Amino acid sequence: MIESLEWILRRRSIRTYTDAPVSDGQVQALLRAAMAAPSGNDVRPWAFVVVRDAQRRKALAETHQWSHMCANAQVVLAVIGDPLASDYWMEDCSAAVENLLLAATALDLGSVWVAVYPREKREAHVRSVLNIPANLRVLCLVPIGHPGESKPPRTRYEESKVHDEIFTIRTKSG
Ligand SMILES: Cc1cc2nc3c(=O)[nH]c(=O)nc-3n(C[C@H](O)[C@H](O)[C@H](O)COP(=O)(O)O)c2cc1C
């Protein structure tokens, strides 16, 4: 493994957090990383809601059965896209989220992508909690805190997913 790429493999979904505070400076650094993402036609059709309030985080934790970590994170970032600004909104916002997750790893913070889009019921819930206008979409929530669990770095490289020059149809048996 190329050493300088190691930290990318350190990014894991961290779902438990300690009570240690996450500073405004750290949140700002994460948002700067998010907004450094590539964007189709450089439109940058994203917005981020920074949620620290405990009651609001608790409400976000109820978005669906795999969003409970929002309640125990120090801060939750909601990633919002504007489909009227760009039909690449989902790609752009996803690139921003990956930057965010990698930046959190670099700062020794734990984070996880909590899906909202494309489930309309989840989106309606987040919309009502955070006052998101109907013309905007909620891609996901990202709870962030100091890790309360540790996971090993890993790649899940699969040779079978790589094709040489042209796509080769492969059967399961090889
Ligand atoms: C589009 C997307 C949606 C996800 N939604 C959730 C989610 O709602 N709740 C959750 O706990 N993890 C969610 N995850 C995290 C995945 O479960 C996780 O990335 C996967 O299990 C691989 O583990 P790793 O991130 O530690 O490598 C999501 C990841 C992606 C990319």
Side-chain angles (χ1 to χ4, degrees):
M1 171 53 52
I2 302 168
E3 218 168 283
S4 58
L5 299 184
E6 239 296 323
W7 69 281
I8 291 181
L9 307 188
R10 276 179 42 218
R11 185 221 54 81
R12 297 294 312 274
S13 292
I14 299 299
R15 299 182 174 87
T16 57
Y17 316 101
T18 70
D19 290 337
V22 172
S23 70
D24 289 341
Q26 286 173 311
V27 171
Q28 171 76 207
L30 297 179
L31 292 170
R32 281 183 184 278
M35 291 190 232
S39 167
N41 300 312
D42 205 16
V43 172
R44 289 162 281 147
W46 45 54
F48 303 85
V49 184
V50 180
V51 185
R52 284 194 182 271
D53 178 76
Q55 281 308 109
R56 211 165 268 132
R57 283 189 291 99
K58 210 166 159 222
L60 292 177
E62 284 157 20
T63 303
H64 56 75
Q65 71 183 112
W66 300 283
S67 60
H68 55 88
M69 353 8 140
C70 292
N72 300 320
Q74 289 293 309
V75 56
V76 177
L77 302 182
V79 182
I80 314 299
D82 183 350
L84 294 179
S86 173
D87 55 1
Y88 290 129
W89 74 269
M90 207 252 287
E91 291 84 351
D92 292 356
C93 290
S94 296
V97 174
E98 179 65 359
N99 270 17
L100 222 165
L101 300 176
L102 291 172
T105 307
L107 297 181
D108 289 325
L109 294 169
S111 61
V112 57
W113 182 320
V114 171
V116 177
Y117 175 90
R119 307 279 190 273
E120 281 179 20
K121 212 171 142 203
R122 298 174 179 182
E123 211 175 350
H125 177 76
V126 176
R127 221 180 257 295
S128 75
V129 175
L130 301 182
N131 196 31
I132 313 280
N135 58 308
L136 301 180
R137 303 302 304 263
V138 184
L139 179 69
C140 67
L141 302 169
V142 184
I144 294 155
H146 290 269
E149 62 179 327
S150 136
K151 292 183 175 177
R154 67 168 184 202
T155 174
R156 278 166 297 166
Y157 180 80
E158 291 173 74
E159 193 69 45
S160 64
K161 301 219 168 160
V162 181
H163 301 257
D164 191 23
E165 296 286 351
I166 59 166
F167 190 91
T168 311
I169 297 169
R170 296 169 180 144
T171 58
K172 281 219 166 96
S173 56

